[in-house]
Amino acid sequence: KLQPAVKKAKEQTAVLSNEAKTTALFKINGAVKDLAAQVQKVEAEYQRINQALDQLDAAVKDQTAALTKLRKTYNDYGRKLDEEAFAYGESKAALHDRLVSLEEKFERFATIANQGDHEAAQEILDDLKAETAVFADLLDTVPQLYKPLYTTYPDQLSELANGYQQLKQEHYNFSEDNLLVKIQDLAEEQKFALEKLATLEIAPVKAANEHLAPAIDHLYEVMQKELDARPQVAQLLTPTLDHLAHAEQQNRQLLNELDKLSLSYTLNHNEMADARGLNEQLRQLRAELTEAQQAVDAQTAVDSQVLKQLQAAEEELAAIEKQQTEINHGVAGLQEDEQRAQKALQRFAVTLKTTKRRVESLNLPGIPQAYLDYFFVVAGELKKLSQAMDRPQIDMEEITKQLLMVQEDLQTLQEKTDELRDSAELTERMIQYAHRLSVDHESIEAAIQKAQTQFDQYEYTASLETIGTAIEEAEPGAFKRLEQSYFDEVDHATN
């Protein structure tokens, strides 16, 4: 293809050369441009041919190297299949056929390459390389899939089948049904996978392998779970039943005690209802454990399920006994609380009587109405408390509240009694002292008369304020001195 373009360029060069010697020199500018374009086309064609020659040369080298390399590769593959036939099983025949097919295609490639048709040879070589890579992957993958299918899984499935038969003879039962059918199904899947592997159908074989391993492990776990559970059931069943019997006995005693206490005391925290609820829990537990024991005795029990049931029962029994203890502690102190309340009531009654005698011993002209009102309120509270204590059925919570209220009000009454005593006695002392001051202070006489009048009208606090103010005006500091002296005497008498 290059020669015509070169010839045309030479002819056009000769024409231009002749024209350059004539008067046509000024007319050849366009022709020169055409010649330049022809030269550029020749140069481009030349570069393309050189590039094609380089590619051809590289292809020839690649094909020559492939001839040697592939022949050695296929020989190695054939030797590997012969020497390691045990690792391929029934797949060896299909792999051998594929290798023969590769070798036949290789021979076609070699023939065409030797004939010089390198372009056709390259197409065959590209296919050969891709198919050889797939074959190499099969040589690596098949043994990995074949080994567990041929050795591991059959041994495991056989062991599972034999173990299942033996365990059934020993009256083991399982949490899943049809274990033997499941084992047989897995064995069929294993055989199916081997058949597919023999024809080099890799995808279903990989899927089978991925399913068989965990499925077999699961069946082992199902059986092992029962083997592990049986000795634990044997160890726990009797103690759990004994624990149940103990909890039942405790609950009967608790209910009896609550029945007795309910005759004398109000039970405010649903103790009876809670104890009856516990009794129902225990009744249900008794039914479940009796059923479990019967299944164990009849050799129909699934040991792992019984074990789980026993463990749950122990937890429930522990919770029940804890609640029984809490209920018992809640009511156990009722009688002691009643005794303490009776003693407190007696103390309060004595305190009230003592307070009354204290007021009477003051020999006052009368008692302020406010004090009397408070005194009778406290007396009424004490009477109400006494009546609550005398009922056939007493409410200790309510009694406790009343005790606290009476105790606080008695304390307040004591303070009011002290205030009454102090006001009256201090007033008398202040009036006496004021009489001595009146000799020198005529103005104090009116205060004495007013204070005495208030005193006679039982207004002891007001009387003390009236006379105290007058004394302080007549003799500053005297009131505080007299008051301190009085309280010192009171403290000394108390101590």
Side-chain angles (χ1 to χ4, degrees):
K1 294 179 180 178
L2 181 62
Q3 189 173 0
V6 174
K7 183 178 179 180
K8 184 176 180 181
K10 285 182 178 181
E11 290 174 352
Q12 194 166 359
T13 300
V15 170
L16 289 173
S17 178
N18 290 330
E19 288 180 352
K21 298 174 182 179
T22 68
T23 58
L25 179 63
F26 296 103
K27 301 178 181 179
I28 64 174
N29 185 48
V32 170
K33 290 182 179 179
D34 291 342
L35 177 60
Q38 287 294 327
V39 170
Q40 287 180 350
K41 184 184 293 186
V42 169
E43 288 179 349
E45 189 69 16
Y46 179 76
Q47 290 176 357
R48 184 186 68 78
I49 292 172
N50 276 344
Q51 186 177 3
L53 288 174
D54 289 342
Q55 291 175 348
L56 179 61
D57 183 56
V60 170
K61 289 181 181 179
D62 183 45
Q63 292 169 12
T64 302
L67 284 170
T68 302
K69 183 178 179 181
L70 286 176
R71 182 172 285 111
K72 181 179 183 304
T73 297
Y74 295 148
N75 288 336
D76 291 343
Y77 288 165
R79 187 164 51 252
K80 183 179 180 69
L81 282 175
D82 289 337
E83 293 175 354
E84 301 178 16
F86 61 87
Y88 294 91
E90 299 297 325
S91 304
K92 180 188 174 184
L95 287 168
H96 184 268
D97 291 344
R98 285 207 183 187
L99 181 58
V100 169
S101 177
L102 285 172
E103 289 173 336
E104 289 174 351
K105 185 175 283 191
F106 172 77
E107 293 302 329
R108 289 199 304 275
F109 158 69
T111 300
I112 293 173
N114 289 332
Q115 290 174 351
D117 190 352
H118 297 292
E119 187 173 353
Q122 188 61 41
E123 291 182 4
I124 298 175
L125 179 58
D126 291 341
D127 290 342
L128 268 177
K129 286 181 177 179
E131 293 173 9
T132 301
V134 171
F135 187 81
D137 185 62
L138 285 173
L139 286 182
D140 291 336
T141 302
V142 169
Q144 298 173 19
L145 298 173
Y146 176 71
K147 182 178 179 181
L149 285 170
Y150 186 73
T151 59
T152 306
Y153 299 152
D155 290 346
Q156 290 178 333
L157 291 168
S158 177
E159 184 179 40
L160 283 171
N162 293 333
Y164 175 79
Q165 297 291 357
Q166 181 178 348
L167 291 176
K168 287 304 292 182
Q169 290 176 4
E170 297 175 10
H171 306 290
Y172 278 89
N173 301 289
F174 304 97
S175 57
E176 295 184 16
D177 297 329
N178 304 319
L179 285 188
L180 192 57
V181 173
K182 292 179 180 179
I183 294 170
Q184 292 168 349
D185 289 344
L186 292 177
E188 290 297 322
E189 186 176 358
Q190 174 259 339
K191 292 176 183 177
F192 170 80
L194 281 177
E195 292 171 0
K196 291 296 180 181
L197 190 60
T199 59
L200 302 180
E201 297 178 61
I202 300 302
V205 178
K206 284 185 175 180
N209 264 352
E210 290 173 359
H211 174 254
L212 283 166
I216 289 172
D217 288 344
H218 174 68
L219 292 179
Y220 272 114
E221 290 172 2
V222 170
M223 294 186 189
Q224 189 63 45
K225 183 168 61 174
E226 303 310 319
L227 282 169
D228 293 340
R230 176 161 290 187
Q232 296 183 68
V233 169
Q235 183 178 6
L236 283 177
L237 183 56
T238 298
T240 302
L241 289 170
D242 291 344
H243 193 179
L244 172 60
H246 179 260
E248 289 171 331
Q249 176 62 22
Q250 282 194 156
N251 218 68
R252 284 193 293 270
Q253 292 175 349
L254 179 60
L255 281 169
N256 289 336
E257 182 65 20
L258 290 175
D259 281 335
K260 294 176 183 177
L261 288 172
S262 66
L263 298 175
S264 302
Y265 302 98
T266 300
L267 303 179
N268 295 302
H269 300 286
N270 298 316
E271 291 90 349
M272 186 66 74
D274 290 343
R276 287 173 180 159
L278 295 179
N279 205 56
E280 178 59 25
Q281 282 184 253
L282 291 168
R283 188 194 65 77
Q284 184 63 33
L285 266 180
R286 169 61 66 183
E288 292 172 359
L289 293 183
T290 298
E291 184 179 351
Q293 184 179 32
Q294 290 171 349
V296 170
D297 293 342
Q299 298 180 329
T300 60
V302 177
D303 291 295
S304 62
Q305 294 176 354
V306 174
L307 176 60
K308 187 176 180 180
Q309 192 174 3
L310 291 174
Q311 292 169 337
E314 279 295 332
E315 291 181 5
E316 188 172 357
L317 285 170
I320 287 172
E321 289 190 327
K322 180 181 179 182
Q323 194 171 352
Q324 287 174 337
T325 301
E326 290 172 353
I327 294 172
N328 187 60
H329 284 170
V331 299
L334 286 175
Q335 291 179 333
E336 293 181 1
D337 291 343
E338 181 187 6
Q339 292 173 0
R340 283 193 290 268
Q342 289 286 3
K343 291 179 180 178
L345 177 60
Q346 292 172 4
R347 287 199 309 274
F348 293 162
V350 169
T351 300
L352 190 63
K353 290 179 181 179
T354 301
T355 301
K356 182 180 178 183
R357 286 198 296 270
R358 283 183 60 202
V359 174
E360 291 173 347
S361 68
L362 294 176
N363 295 319
L364 298 175
I367 307 300
Q369 189 60 44
Y371 178 88
L372 288 173
D373 290 343
Y374 196 84
F375 181 91
F376 289 121
V377 166
V378 176
E381 290 174 353
L382 200 58
K383 182 178 180 181
K384 181 181 176 182
L385 175 59
S386 177
Q387 290 172 344
M389 294 288 294
D390 289 338
R391 291 174 187 157
Q393 184 187 55
I394 62 176
D395 186 340
M396 282 309 303
E397 283 196 1
E398 183 59 32
I399 286 173
T400 300
K401 293 177 183 178
Q402 291 187 40
L403 282 170
L404 293 172
M405 182 173 64
V406 172
Q407 183 181 44
E408 183 178 356
D409 289 347
L410 269 177
Q411 180 64 38
T412 302
L413 181 62
Q414 293 299 312
E415 293 171 359
K416 289 181 177 296
T417 303
D418 289 342
E419 182 181 349
L420 176 63
R421 177 203 62 193
D422 296 338
S423 296
E425 293 191 3
L426 268 173
T427 298
E428 290 179 336
R429 292 192 182 195
M430 294 294 177
I431 289 175
Q432 292 175 6
Y433 189 77
H435 279 300
R436 291 198 292 272
L437 289 177
S438 64
V439 176
D440 299 320
H441 301 83
E442 296 180 0
S443 59
I444 204 170
E445 187 63 35
I448 294 173
Q449 294 300 323
K450 182 179 179 181
Q452 187 63 55
T453 300
Q454 290 173 326
F455 189 90
D456 293 339
Q457 294 174 350
Y458 324 145
E459 298 176 8
Y460 305 114
T461 303
S463 177
L464 177 61
E465 184 177 355
T466 297
I467 195 63
T469 302
I471 290 173
E472 192 64 22
E473 289 176 356
E475 187 180 328
F479 178 82
K480 286 292 183 184
R481 185 181 70 253
L482 293 170
E483 183 183 47
Q484 187 61 49
S485 174
Y486 166 76
F487 282 118
D488 287 345
E489 290 178 15
V490 171
D491 289 341
H492 181 72
T494 302
N495 295 330

